[in-house]
Amino acid sequence: MMFLLQRAELGPHPVAPGLPPELEARRVAVIGGKGGMGRCMAGVFADLGHTVIVADLDTGRVVFSLDAQASDSGRLVASGSVTLGGSIGFAVDRGTIRDLDIAAFRGDTTPSRLDADFTASGVAGQPDGMLSDVRLVIRGGRYGSLVLDTMTVDARLGDGRLNATGRALSNAGRADFELSARPFVDVLAYDLDPLRFTDIDLGVLRSDTTLTTSITGTMRGTGRGTSVEQLALDLSVELDSSRVNRQAISRGQASLVLRESRADIDADAAPDIRREQFH
Protein backbone atom coordinates (compact mmCIF):
# COMPACT_ATOMS: atom_id res chain seq x y z
CA MET A 1 0.00 0.00 0.00
CA MET A 2 1.38 3.39 -1.02
CA PHE A 3 0.17 6.81 -0.02
CA LEU A 4 1.22 10.42 -0.44
CA LEU A 5 -0.26 13.14 1.77
CA GLN A 6 0.82 16.62 0.80
CA ARG A 7 -0.84 18.66 3.53
CA ALA A 8 -3.60 18.52 6.16
CA GLU A 9 -4.63 21.31 8.52
CA LEU A 10 -5.99 20.37 11.96
CA GLY A 11 -5.83 23.49 14.16
CA PRO A 12 -6.41 25.24 16.41
CA HIS A 13 -5.85 22.81 19.28
CA PRO A 14 -6.55 23.87 22.91
CA VAL A 15 -3.86 23.51 25.53
CA ALA A 16 -4.14 20.72 28.10
CA PRO A 17 -5.53 21.72 31.52
CA GLY A 18 -2.91 23.11 33.89
CA LEU A 19 -0.49 24.30 31.20
CA PRO A 20 0.12 27.97 30.28
CA PRO A 21 -2.42 29.25 27.71
CA GLU A 22 0.36 30.41 25.37
CA LEU A 23 1.04 26.73 24.62
CA GLU A 24 -2.14 26.55 22.49
CA ALA A 25 -1.32 25.17 19.07
CA ARG A 26 -2.58 27.51 16.36
CA ARG A 27 -1.93 25.01 13.55
CA VAL A 28 -1.37 21.28 13.48
CA ALA A 29 -0.34 20.14 10.02
CA VAL A 30 0.81 16.95 8.30
CA ILE A 31 3.11 18.42 5.70
CA GLY A 32 4.15 15.36 3.74
CA GLY A 33 4.32 11.60 3.74
CA LYS A 34 4.91 8.46 1.69
CA GLY A 35 5.91 4.86 2.14
CA GLY A 36 4.99 1.18 2.00
CA MET A 37 3.00 0.47 5.15
CA GLY A 38 3.75 4.07 5.91
CA ARG A 39 6.31 6.75 6.48
CA CYS A 40 5.12 10.22 7.30
CA MET A 41 6.41 13.58 8.47
CA ALA A 42 4.23 15.90 10.51
CA GLY A 43 4.72 19.41 11.76
CA VAL A 44 2.97 20.85 14.81
CA PHE A 45 3.09 24.61 14.66
CA ALA A 46 2.13 26.95 17.49
CA ASP A 47 2.73 30.50 18.63
CA LEU A 48 5.61 29.27 20.79
CA GLY A 49 7.55 27.34 18.12
CA HIS A 50 7.31 24.16 16.07
CA THR A 51 7.68 20.40 16.28
CA VAL A 52 8.70 18.07 13.47
CA ILE A 53 7.87 14.35 13.75
CA VAL A 54 9.02 11.63 11.34
CA ALA A 55 7.27 8.27 11.83
CA ASP A 56 8.23 5.02 10.14
CA LEU A 57 5.18 2.77 10.50
CA ASP A 58 7.07 -0.21 9.06
CA THR A 59 9.54 -0.29 11.96
CA GLY A 60 7.44 1.46 14.59
CA ARG A 61 10.11 4.13 15.14
CA VAL A 62 9.20 7.78 15.57
CA VAL A 63 11.87 10.48 15.41
CA PHE A 64 11.03 13.94 16.74
CA SER A 65 12.55 17.39 16.83
CA LEU A 66 11.13 20.13 19.04
CA ASP A 67 11.88 23.85 19.12
CA ALA A 68 9.56 25.78 21.44
CA GLN A 69 9.65 29.29 22.81
CA ALA A 70 6.98 30.71 25.14
CA SER A 71 7.14 34.50 24.69
CA ASP A 72 9.73 35.74 27.24
CA SER A 73 9.57 32.59 29.42
CA GLY A 74 12.38 30.67 27.71
CA ARG A 75 13.19 28.25 24.94
CA LEU A 76 13.22 24.43 24.77
CA VAL A 77 15.03 22.51 22.03
CA ALA A 78 15.03 18.71 22.03
CA SER A 79 15.47 15.79 19.64
CA GLY A 80 15.10 12.06 20.09
CA SER A 81 13.08 8.99 19.19
CA VAL A 82 10.31 6.69 20.36
CA THR A 83 10.10 2.98 19.41
CA LEU A 84 6.67 1.36 19.51
CA GLY A 85 6.09 -2.34 20.17
CA GLY A 86 5.35 -4.63 23.08
CA SER A 87 6.92 -1.92 25.22
CA ILE A 88 7.64 1.70 24.35
CA GLY A 89 11.28 2.73 24.21
CA PHE A 90 12.25 6.38 24.21
CA ALA A 91 15.39 8.48 24.02
CA VAL A 92 16.07 12.21 24.21
CA ASP A 93 19.49 12.44 22.59
CA ARG A 94 19.80 16.18 23.10
CA GLY A 95 17.74 18.57 25.16
CA THR A 96 18.48 22.23 25.80
CA ILE A 97 16.69 24.77 27.99
CA ARG A 98 17.62 28.43 27.65
CA ASP A 99 16.49 31.48 29.63
CA LEU A 100 13.61 29.59 31.25
CA ASP A 101 11.66 31.80 33.66
CA ILE A 102 10.71 29.19 36.27
CA ALA A 103 8.88 31.69 38.46
CA ALA A 104 6.62 32.76 35.58
CA PHE A 105 5.29 29.22 35.15
CA ARG A 106 4.31 29.26 38.84
CA GLY A 107 2.71 32.69 38.64
CA ASP A 108 5.60 34.06 40.74
CA THR A 109 7.04 37.52 40.03
CA THR A 110 10.47 36.71 41.51
CA PRO A 111 13.17 37.28 38.83
CA SER A 112 14.40 33.87 37.66
CA ARG A 113 16.35 32.24 34.84
CA LEU A 114 17.56 28.72 34.05
CA ASP A 115 19.92 27.35 31.40
CA ALA A 116 20.29 23.56 31.25
CA ASP A 117 21.07 20.55 29.06
CA PHE A 118 19.50 17.11 29.52
CA THR A 119 19.39 13.59 28.08
CA ALA A 120 17.03 10.72 28.84
CA SER A 121 16.41 7.13 27.77
CA GLY A 122 14.26 4.29 28.92
CA VAL A 123 11.40 1.85 28.45
CA ALA A 124 7.87 2.86 29.38
CA GLY A 125 5.13 0.56 30.60
CA GLN A 126 3.32 0.23 33.86
CA PRO A 127 4.76 2.61 36.51
CA ASP A 128 6.39 -0.22 38.49
CA GLY A 129 7.86 -1.62 35.27
CA MET A 130 9.20 1.65 33.90
CA LEU A 131 12.97 1.95 33.47
CA SER A 132 14.69 5.21 32.62
CA ASP A 133 17.92 7.15 33.01
CA VAL A 134 18.04 10.95 33.07
CA ARG A 135 20.98 13.34 33.23
CA LEU A 136 20.41 17.04 33.88
CA VAL A 137 23.21 19.61 33.75
CA ILE A 138 22.29 23.14 34.77
CA ARG A 139 24.73 25.60 33.22
CA GLY A 140 23.49 28.58 35.18
CA GLY A 141 20.42 29.89 36.90
CA ARG A 142 18.98 32.52 39.16
CA TYR A 143 16.03 32.80 41.52
CA GLY A 144 15.87 36.11 43.36
CA SER A 145 19.17 36.57 45.20
CA LEU A 146 20.20 32.92 44.68
CA VAL A 147 22.62 32.46 41.77
CA LEU A 148 23.19 28.85 40.69
CA ASP A 149 26.56 28.43 38.99
CA THR A 150 26.28 24.74 38.07
CA MET A 151 24.22 21.72 39.05
CA THR A 152 24.38 18.12 37.88
CA VAL A 153 21.74 15.48 38.58
CA ASP A 154 21.86 11.82 37.50
CA ALA A 155 18.64 9.87 38.09
CA ARG A 156 17.55 6.28 37.43
CA LEU A 157 14.03 4.91 37.72
CA GLY A 158 13.51 1.15 38.01
CA ASP A 159 11.18 -1.25 39.84
CA GLY A 160 9.11 1.72 41.01
CA ARG A 161 12.06 3.39 42.78
CA LEU A 162 13.83 6.60 41.80
CA ASN A 163 17.50 7.00 42.75
CA ALA A 164 19.29 10.29 42.16
CA THR A 165 22.67 11.84 42.92
CA GLY A 166 23.63 15.43 42.38
CA ARG A 167 25.90 18.36 43.08
CA ALA A 168 25.08 22.08 43.14
CA LEU A 169 27.37 25.11 43.32
CA SER A 170 25.90 28.54 44.02
CA ASN A 171 26.53 31.86 45.72
CA ALA A 172 24.82 30.29 48.76
CA GLY A 173 27.35 27.45 48.98
CA ARG A 174 27.76 23.88 47.76
CA ALA A 175 25.59 20.81 48.20
CA ASP A 176 26.08 17.12 47.28
CA PHE A 177 23.17 14.74 47.71
CA GLU A 178 21.92 11.18 47.28
CA LEU A 179 18.16 10.72 47.17
CA SER A 180 15.84 7.75 46.71
CA ALA A 181 12.06 7.80 46.46
CA ARG A 182 9.02 5.72 45.56
CA PRO A 183 6.98 8.13 43.44
CA PHE A 184 4.20 5.71 42.41
CA VAL A 185 2.94 4.62 45.83
CA ASP A 186 -0.22 6.14 47.31
CA VAL A 187 1.84 8.42 49.58
CA LEU A 188 5.22 9.55 48.24
CA ALA A 189 8.09 8.11 50.30
CA TYR A 190 11.70 9.33 50.09
CA ASP A 191 15.11 8.98 51.73
CA LEU A 192 17.91 11.54 51.84
CA ASP A 193 21.20 9.79 52.59
CA PRO A 194 23.18 11.92 52.69
CA LEU A 195 23.02 15.64 51.86
CA ARG A 196 26.42 17.23 52.38
CA PHE A 197 26.49 21.02 52.45
CA THR A 198 29.49 23.35 52.52
CA ASP A 199 29.70 27.08 53.35
CA ILE A 200 25.92 27.57 53.13
CA ASP A 201 24.87 31.22 53.48
CA LEU A 202 21.32 31.32 54.84
CA GLY A 203 21.24 35.07 54.27
CA VAL A 204 21.35 34.48 50.52
CA LEU A 205 18.68 31.78 50.65
CA ARG A 206 16.38 34.03 52.71
CA SER A 207 17.32 37.27 50.88
CA ASP A 208 18.27 38.64 54.31
CA THR A 209 21.15 41.14 54.18
CA THR A 210 21.41 41.20 58.00
CA LEU A 211 22.30 37.50 58.15
CA THR A 212 25.60 36.01 57.00
CA THR A 213 26.44 32.36 57.63
CA SER A 214 28.97 29.75 56.60
CA ILE A 215 27.43 26.43 57.57
CA THR A 216 29.03 23.07 56.78
CA GLY A 217 27.71 19.65 57.69
CA THR A 218 25.69 16.58 56.74
CA MET A 219 21.95 15.86 56.74
CA ARG A 220 20.20 12.48 56.60
CA GLY A 221 16.56 11.67 56.79
CA THR A 222 13.39 9.99 55.63
CA GLY A 223 10.01 11.38 54.71
CA ARG A 224 6.50 10.57 53.54
CA GLY A 225 3.94 12.77 51.86
CA THR A 226 4.01 16.31 50.48
CA SER A 227 0.89 17.99 51.87
CA VAL A 228 0.87 19.56 55.34
CA GLU A 229 -1.66 16.97 56.54
CA GLN A 230 0.34 13.97 55.25
CA LEU A 231 3.89 15.18 55.77
CA ALA A 232 6.07 13.09 58.09
CA LEU A 233 9.79 13.82 58.41
CA ASP A 234 12.70 12.41 60.42
CA LEU A 235 15.87 14.44 59.85
CA SER A 236 19.25 14.54 61.55
CA VAL A 237 21.96 17.15 61.01
CA GLU A 238 25.61 17.13 62.04
CA LEU A 239 27.50 20.41 61.80
CA ASP A 240 31.22 20.81 61.28
CA SER A 241 33.07 24.08 61.82
CA SER A 242 30.55 26.80 60.93
CA ARG A 243 29.71 30.44 61.55
CA VAL A 244 26.55 32.51 62.05
CA ASN A 245 27.35 36.20 61.64
CA ARG A 246 30.30 36.62 64.06
CA GLN A 247 29.51 33.56 66.16
CA ALA A 248 31.75 30.59 65.46
CA ILE A 249 30.38 27.06 65.95
CA SER A 250 32.91 24.27 66.41
CA ARG A 251 30.37 21.45 66.18
CA GLY A 252 26.68 20.80 66.37
CA GLN A 253 23.92 18.23 66.14
CA ALA A 254 20.21 18.58 65.54
CA SER A 255 17.21 16.38 64.91
CA LEU A 256 13.75 17.17 63.55
CA VAL A 257 10.67 14.97 63.86
CA LEU A 258 7.54 16.22 62.10
CA ARG A 259 4.16 14.52 62.53
CA GLU A 260 0.69 15.93 61.81
CA SER A 261 1.94 19.54 61.60
CA ARG A 262 3.85 19.20 64.91
CA ALA A 263 7.63 19.71 64.82
CA ASP A 264 9.96 18.57 67.61
CA ILE A 265 13.49 19.96 67.33
CA ASP A 266 16.43 18.91 69.48
CA ALA A 267 19.62 20.91 68.88
CA ASP A 268 23.05 20.88 70.52
CA ALA A 269 25.67 23.36 69.27
CA ALA A 270 28.98 24.26 70.94
CA PRO A 271 29.34 26.47 72.88
CA ASP A 272 25.56 26.83 73.45
CA ILE A 273 22.93 24.13 74.03
CA ARG A 274 19.36 24.77 72.93
CA ARG A 275 16.36 22.49 73.23
CA GLU A 276 13.10 23.74 71.77
CA GLN A 277 9.68 22.38 70.87
CA PHE A 278 7.33 24.06 68.43
CA HIS A 279 3.63 23.38 67.94
Side-chain angles (χ1 to χ4, degrees), residues 199-202 211-216 239-250:
D199 295 329
I200 299 298
D201 190 342
L202 297 179
L211 176 64
T212 302
T213 70
S214 177
I215 299 178
T216 298
L239 295 182
D240 297 328
S241 179
S242 301
R243 177 178 53 81
V244 177
N245 288 335
R246 295 183 179 180
Q247 176 64 59
I249 300 174
S250 59

Side-chain angles (χ1 to χ4, degrees), residues 29-103:
V30 178
I31 56 178
K34 61 182 179 179
M37 286 299 293
R39 178 179 176 82
C40 66
M41 181 172 68
V44 180
F45 299 87
D47 285 350
L48 75 163
H50 66 274
T51 302
V52 175
I53 302 171
V54 178
D56 190 332
L57 303 184
D58 289 325
T59 63
R61 188 167 187 264
V62 179
V63 178
F64 66 87
S65 175
L66 168 69
D67 189 342
Q69 184 156 357
S71 60
D72 296 328
S73 298
R75 181 182 182 189
L76 169 64
V77 178
S79 61
S81 62
V82 177
T83 303
L84 307 176
S87 58
I88 300 175
F90 63 90
V92 178
D93 303 316
R94 179 180 62 88
T96 301
I97 298 170
R98 290 293 179 265
D99 295 323
L100 179 65
D101 189 345
I102 303 172

Side-chain angles (χ1 to χ4, degrees), residues 1 8 32 38 51 58 60 98 103 116 156 166 174 262 279:
M1 179 178 67
T51 302
D58 289 325
R98 290 293 179 265
R156 182 175 180 83
R174 168 180 162 177
R262 173 193 172 102
H279 302 276

Side-chain angles (χ1 to χ4, degrees), residues 256-267:
L256 165 68
V257 178
L258 177 64
R259 296 288 188 278
E260 298 179 350
S261 304
R262 173 193 172 102
D264 293 313
I265 301 175
D266 192 347

Side-chain angles (χ1 to χ4, degrees), residues 73 100-113 142-144:
S73 298
L100 179 65
D101 189 345
I102 303 172
F105 280 89
R106 301 172 51 206
D108 186 350
T109 58
T110 303
S112 69
R113 178 186 60 81
R142 185 183 192 95
Y143 184 84

Side-chain angles (χ1 to χ4, degrees), residues 203-264:
V204 172
L205 295 177
R206 297 178 54 186
S207 298
D208 185 349
T209 57
T210 66
L211 176 64
T212 302
T213 70
S214 177
I215 299 178
T216 298
T218 303
M219 177 186 294
R220 290 179 168 84
T222 61
R224 286 176 57 84
T226 55
S227 67
V228 175
E229 297 79 12
Q230 290 180 328
L231 189 60
L233 291 176
D234 290 272
L235 299 176
S236 65
V237 179
E238 294 186 5
L239 295 182
D240 297 328
S241 179
S242 301
R243 177 178 53 81
V244 177
N245 288 335
R246 295 183 179 180
Q247 176 64 59
I249 300 174
S250 59
R251 62 173 179 81
Q253 293 180 332
S255 64
L256 165 68
V257 178
L258 177 64
R259 296 288 188 278
E260 298 179 350
S261 304
R262 173 193 172 102
D264 293 313

Side-chain angles (χ1 to χ4, degrees), residues 170-204:
S170 74
N171 64 333
R174 168 180 162 177
D176 298 84
F177 67 87
E178 295 183 19
L179 172 70
S180 64
R182 289 195 172 274
F184 302 117
V185 296
D186 292 338
V187 179
L188 176 66
Y190 39 90
D191 298 293
L192 184 65
D193 188 17
L195 166 65
R196 297 185 179 90
F197 47 91
T198 306
D199 295 329
I200 299 298
D201 190 342
L202 297 179
V204 172

